[in-house]
Each structure stands twice: as C-alpha cells, then as structure tokens.
Amino acid sequence: MAYGSFGVSSKALVFCRPCYGSIRDLPFSLRTSTIGHCGCVRAIAAPRNVVKPRKEESRDFSGARRSNKDKSMPWKKLDADEFGIQRSMIPDSTRMVLNKLKKKGFQVYLVGGCVRDLILDRIPKDFDVITTAELKEVRKVFPRCQIVGRRFPICHVYVDDIIIEVSSFSTSARTGKAPSKNLRKPAGCDERDYIRWKNCLQRDFTVNGLMFDLSENVVYDYIGGVEDIRNSKVRTVSAAKLSFVEDTARILRAIRIAARLGFSLTKDVAISVKELSSSLLRLDPSRIRMEINYMLAYGSAEASLRLLWRFGLMEILLPIQASYLVSQGFRRRDGRSNMLLSLFRNLDRLVAPDRPCNEFLWIGILAFHKALVDQPRDPTVVASFCLAIYSEVSLSEAIAIARSNSKQHNSHFQELSGHEKDSADSESKLSQQVIKLAESIRSAARKLNDRDYIANAMSKYPQAPGSDMVFLSRPMLERVEKMFGSVRRKRNQETEDVPSLERRINYKSLALGDFHETRRVFARIVFDTIYPPT
C-alpha cells in the first residue's frame, strides 16, 4: 500500500509504510530515488486515485432508484472494502474505544475527516468518535476520561499518552443547528438512519460528513461526501455564504482541506471565501493561530500558503509575507517558487499529519525569512549559522565546515547575496556576520507581534485590504527568539565532533517544541533550501 510520496520532477516516489518512515527522517539532500529497504520505490505519473468517479445510477439509501424529480439527497450505505479500508489502518487505541462502547450496547462510529482520509488512503491527523451514549455514560466506561468544553462538550478518553475525542449524538443534537424544515427526510429512513442523517447535516463540509461503522465495515454517506471526494471538491453542507457566516473559521478550514488533499473549492465556496475574507478579522486570535498551525505544521504548508495568497487571505492573516510576494511580482495563480515557499516545501517533506511539528518551528521559519528579506546574507554565513545551531558546535568550527562545503547554493533567491564574497573573509568577520544574522532573526520575530509594523506591511499597496492582525503572543515569540536568535561561540563539550546529517528526527520531541530538536530540524530545512539537492 502506498504510504507517502515526495516530489521528483513531474512524478512522485511512492514508498511502503516502513520505508516511508525511514526516508522521511533523512535530510532531503540525502534522499535518492533508490532509497527503499525493500525495493518498494517506484515512480508514478500521479498519486493513486483511490476513489475513482463512477458512472453509476444514483440510488437512495434504501436501494430504490432515484428519479430526476426527487430533490432529496441520495443515501448511501457503502462497503468499506470498496475503498480499501482495513482495520490495521486504525490505531489500537481508537479500536479499543470503539470496541468497549460497542460491547456496552451503544452505537459507535468514526466520523469526520478521519473517514475521508481513510477513503483516500491518507494518514488521518486524528480519529474522532461519535456514539449514542451520553457523555456521562462514556465517562463510566473509561476510568481515564474527562468531559471538556462548555458550548460543545465532548469526552477526552486517555489511552496511554493518546487522547481520543468522543462526542455524543444527543449532545450534538442539543448544541448543533437543527436541519432546515425544507429538507425532506429521505425514503427508507429508520430511527438510526435519522439520527445519523441529522448529525451529518450539522457538519461543515460534505467530505467531513461521513461515518464509518467498524463493526459492520460500512461507510454511511448521507450528504454526497463520497461523490465530492471522487470529484476532488470542497463543498459546504449548507449554502457556502450562510455556512461561513455561522462559523467564520470554516473559511480557513476550507483552505486547509483543499491544500492538504489537493482538492478545489466549488464555485460558491470560492466566491464566498473571497467575499467574506474580511470577517476573519473578527475571529479570536487563538482560533486564528490554531487554524494557521493546522495549515503549516502537518505537511501541507506550501499548498496552504499558495491558496491563502490566491484567495486574498494572506494580506489579512500574514501581511508581512503578502508584502514579500507582491514585491516578487507574484500573481494569484503563479506557479513559480521563491525562497519563502521553498522553505515551507522542505518543511512539508519532514512532517506529516501523524508527525507534526510544534508551531515554534514554522514561526522560526517566518522570522528567519523576514530577516533575510530585510538584509540579504551570504550563503556561507547562512550555512555557518545552520551548522552552529544544528549540533551546537562552536561558531569557528561551524564556519570551517561551511567553508569546506562544495555544494552550489541556489542563486535564484534574492535573499542571498550574490557571489559569496564573505566566504574569503577572516573567521572573525564571518563570526560577526553570523551573530548579526542571529540578531536580525530576533528582531524579525518581534515584528511578528508588532501591530503597527504589521498594519504598515502593505502600505505600499493601497488597494490591498488593511490588517493589523496579531495572533502570535509575546511569550511565544520570546521562546522563538531564544531558539533561533543565538549561536554558541564556544564548543559544548557534550556535542559531537562533526554534526551528523543522518541523525533521525525525534518526532515526539519535535511536536512538543523541544528546544534542541526544533533547532536541528530548522537547520536542516534551511540548509536544504539554500543548498538544494542536485
């Protein structure tokens, strides 16, 4: 089973599950098309289309033929084997929760994005469970469980160090929006179908409105989610404009889903995203930060940034970066790349939905890039900086290693000064340049929290919407300053003699924002960007 891919020319390399994990741990510059312990690597022209469009007759849930005059949504009860869903694709912790609730006599399903991802043979970010049990009954079944949330309460079930979110049909019915009176209950609807149908109508997007019964090996589709998956479309369950007015954060979720899956927005969704973009300014900063983190930390950062730019959202959310794209002459549908997008493309190659990074890493990348935009640096200076924070060797050792590097830097980036003129300078002068780079990263991090600076970021472009949105907290940015805004001048006696580029990533530490692991991964990303593999 194909488990992951990396871009190679116009094709993709596909690896089995074990080899994908080992390859992802390597710096991109060390990967080759021959890597794969079991010989599983193969080049294909496009990712495997797990769910192909079919010219089949539409039928309602009861199996009856649907007439053209019938405007009710066709119900579908689909065999999970049709999509290649296997029990082994669901973690033991999630299966344990499902089985325990089932044994207690409750109906229980996987729901939402995880079902969508299983159908697409992708790695779900997490697995959400919904059950007919009341939340208090769920708490009785699992000793390590607590009810969280006031407006939309759910259960957090703790299995070892993993949290499984469990919601209740009854709670969703009380807190969610009731189905429109204009919607007719489809034919052949029994009580269980009716409960599931009502819940699916409360979902944000059709592709998130699927339920999977593991015990019966059945996928329930009440709102056309499978068809939209087949057509690679992001469609709201209700009218797009109404849906985004009800919950503005759905605008960002639409972008996130499209970026991660390579889907396109339906026409009404795309129009509503543009028309209601300014409503994002009313969202709570913590909600904005959460949604941006989902975009940038889980393996689809480059695609997310491109879509934010294409639909005019970057000027509102990330005006500093939007100003950079404008200065580069970047068009809305521009297929070219630049240093900012290349940095996040290399981040995407190291992380995934089941192996995310902490937000400190992508914030550090934003600050680093801003520092180079403000003051381009010599590639040798940047390489020395990366090596100094990668293994925390002394600055003089990092400079010596950087000088011995024979790789050619990417000469297309305007953020790099042209002829590596500083490489022949004295070690003392190079050290000063590296320290200045570290100081400029600290300064750039502070700008990400400076409301006045952000408000003026697009001042040269008066046609752009105004935004002074600050969603990164001062304490968070202070941590980023400490992580990436300093280098060690003297050797740490506990460090290795030479930094090992083959060191595996500790993804648990990376997700927790560990100081040293985050610095190492940051350095690898920057190095692979400045000195791309040939």
Side-chain angles (χ1 to χ4, degrees):
M1 178 179 296
Y3 195 67
S5 64
F6 302 105
V8 179
S9 182
S10 61
K11 298 185 178 181
L13 293 181
V14 179
F15 305 88
C16 69
R17 182 181 294 261
C19 292
Y20 176 65
S22 63
I23 290 168
R24 183 168 50 190
D25 289 336
L26 293 176
F28 186 68
S29 58
L30 297 182
R31 297 182 189 143
T32 70
S33 59
T34 60
I35 296 178
H37 303 302
C38 66
C40 62
V41 180
R42 64 187 186 278
I44 60 175
R48 179 167 68 91
N49 189 3
V50 180
V51 187
K52 296 181 180 179
R54 298 181 303 179
K55 295 180 180 179
E56 61 178 9
E57 193 171 41
S58 180
R59 297 174 181 268
D60 66 22
F61 184 69
S62 64
R65 186 173 300 177
R66 184 187 178 210
S67 70
N68 292 331
K69 295 181 180 180
D70 185 2
K71 299 301 182 182
S72 62
M73 179 64 65
W75 295 27
K76 292 180 182 178
K77 180 179 178 180
L78 304 167
D79 188 340
D81 290 339
E82 177 184 347
F83 308 112
I85 299 176
Q86 302 174 10
R87 289 176 179 267
S88 60
M89 299 166 71
I90 302 169
D92 293 341
S93 55
T94 303
R95 291 207 306 270
M96 184 274 288
V97 171
L98 293 170
N99 292 336
K100 275 197 172 185
L101 288 169
K102 189 71 175 179
K103 286 179 180 179
K104 291 294 182 180
F106 301 112
Q107 299 168 47
V108 59
Y109 310 91
L110 290 177
V111 66
C114 66
V115 183
R116 173 202 70 208
D117 290 344
L118 290 173
I119 289 174
L120 288 168
D121 193 25
R122 289 176 172 266
I123 310 167
K125 181 174 63 69
D126 46 35
F127 288 82
D128 293 334
V129 175
I130 190 165
T131 178
T132 53
E134 298 283 349
L135 295 184
K136 291 181 179 179
E137 292 175 313
V138 174
R139 194 166 55 183
K140 289 179 181 178
V141 175
F142 302 99
R144 297 183 61 207
C145 174
Q146 66 177 128
I147 299 175
V148 299
R150 292 184 179 180
R151 187 180 175 190
F152 301 106
I154 60 172
C155 278
H156 277 178
V157 177
Y158 295 86
V159 183
D160 297 328
D161 59 345
I162 299 171
I163 298 176
I164 309 295
E165 291 190 357
V166 181
S167 58
S168 170
F169 279 108
S170 61
T171 304
S172 299
R174 289 194 298 268
T175 58
K177 183 182 177 183
S180 170
K181 294 181 180 180
N182 296 326
L183 286 173
R184 274 193 299 129
K185 185 169 65 173
C189 172
D190 62 21
E191 185 59 32
R192 290 188 176 186
D193 293 322
Y194 184 61
I195 292 172
R196 289 189 292 257
W197 173 70
K198 284 199 305 181
N199 183 270
C200 288
L201 290 179
Q202 297 171 12
R203 302 281 161 180
D204 48 7
F205 302 99
T206 58
V207 294
N208 290 342
L210 301 166
M211 292 188 185
F212 175 41
D213 187 335
L214 179 63
S215 64
E216 299 293 333
N217 203 42
V218 168
V219 173
Y220 294 97
D221 177 15
Y222 297 95
I223 52 178
V226 170
E227 193 62 28
D228 282 333
I229 289 175
R230 287 179 176 139
N231 295 321
S232 301
K233 292 291 185 181
V234 177
R235 186 190 313 275
T236 50
V237 174
S238 58
K241 193 167 186 177
L242 175 62
S243 180
F244 294 156
V245 168
E246 289 174 349
D247 184 356
T248 305
R250 288 176 178 172
I251 293 175
L252 300 180
R253 289 204 292 275
I255 297 295
R256 169 159 53 96
I257 293 171
R260 181 164 177 247
L261 302 180
F263 283 13
S264 59
L265 307 184
T266 60
K267 184 177 180 180
D268 63 326
V269 170
I271 291 172
S272 298
V273 164
K274 292 179 179 179
E275 289 182 350
L276 299 174
S277 60
S278 60
S279 63
L280 292 172
L281 292 168
R282 297 194 292 270
L283 275 179
D284 184 80
S286 62
R287 186 79 181 274
I288 292 284
R289 192 182 80 214
M290 180 183 73
E291 292 294 340
I292 295 294
N293 186 60
Y294 283 150
M295 290 183 189
L296 303 184
Y298 288 80
S300 57
E302 183 194 2
S304 295
L305 291 174
R306 286 184 181 275
L307 286 178
L308 289 175
W309 173 247
R310 175 180 168 184
F311 287 98
L313 303 181
M314 188 179 287
E315 296 92 313
I316 296 171
L317 301 171
L318 298 167
I320 293 175
Q321 286 67 43
S323 174
Y324 164 75
L325 292 183
V326 173
S327 70
Q328 295 273 304
F330 218 66
R331 302 190 178 204
R332 293 297 180 185
R333 294 175 178 266
D334 210 318
R336 295 175 299 162
S337 190
N338 52 46
M339 189 174 185
L340 176 66
L341 295 175
S342 296
L343 284 165
F344 280 99
R345 183 185 311 126
N346 284 316
L347 169 62
D348 289 340
R349 286 166 173 154
L350 296 179
V351 299
D354 64 331
R355 289 183 171 185
C357 67
N358 189 278
E359 56 196 345
F360 293 138
L361 180 54
W362 59 260
I363 296 172
I365 292 174
L366 291 179
F368 166 79
H369 180 257
K370 174 59 179 169
L372 289 189
V373 170
D374 290 345
Q375 177 61 61
R377 302 285 176 178
D378 188 275
T380 303
V381 172
V382 178
S384 301
F385 171 76
C386 291
L387 291 165
I389 68 172
Y390 185 88
S391 285
E392 300 189 19
V393 296
S394 68
L395 190 50
S396 60
E397 289 173 303
I399 290 171
I401 297 171
R403 277 176 158 171
S404 67
N405 176 37
S406 60
K407 281 192 171 186
Q408 180 64 39
H409 76 274
N410 191 324
S411 58
H412 298 295
F413 295 149
Q414 298 177 12
E415 296 87 336
L416 301 176
S417 54
H419 304 290
E420 302 198 27
K421 58 182 181 303
D422 291 335
S423 60
D425 287 339
S426 67
E427 180 183 310
S428 174
K429 187 171 182 180
L430 276 173
S431 296
Q432 292 175 5
Q433 292 295 320
V434 174
I435 292 169
K436 286 182 179 179
L437 172 58
E439 291 173 350
S440 68
I441 293 173
R442 290 200 300 271
S443 175
R446 288 190 288 270
K447 290 175 181 176
L448 299 178
N449 184 253
D450 187 331
R451 191 175 299 276
D452 291 336
Y453 187 89
I454 290 173
N456 290 320
M458 296 291 289
S459 59
K460 294 181 181 179
Y461 317 103
Q463 70 277 17
S467 173
D468 61 353
M469 178 180 289
V470 172
F471 59 86
L472 300 174
S473 67
R474 185 65 246 163
M476 179 185 301
L477 290 170
E478 288 174 354
R479 175 73 171 169
V480 170
E481 289 180 42
K482 290 179 181 178
M483 276 188 173
F484 309 111
S486 63
V487 292
R488 189 182 296 277
R489 302 195 188 194
K490 295 183 179 180
R491 163 179 282 278
N492 182 345
Q493 297 301 320
E494 297 179 0
T495 59
E496 304 168 357
D497 290 337
V498 179
S500 173
L501 292 178
E502 297 187 25
R503 176 187 282 145
R504 291 185 179 275
I505 296 173
N506 184 328
Y507 281 97
K508 185 174 181 179
S509 297
L510 182 64
L512 293 173
D514 176 78
F515 183 89
H516 299 291
E517 194 64 36
T518 305
R519 278 164 62 100
R520 291 186 191 112
V521 175
F522 169 86
R524 286 171 57 166
I525 291 167
V526 173
F527 200 86
D528 279 343
T529 303
I530 304 301
Y531 298 98
T534 55

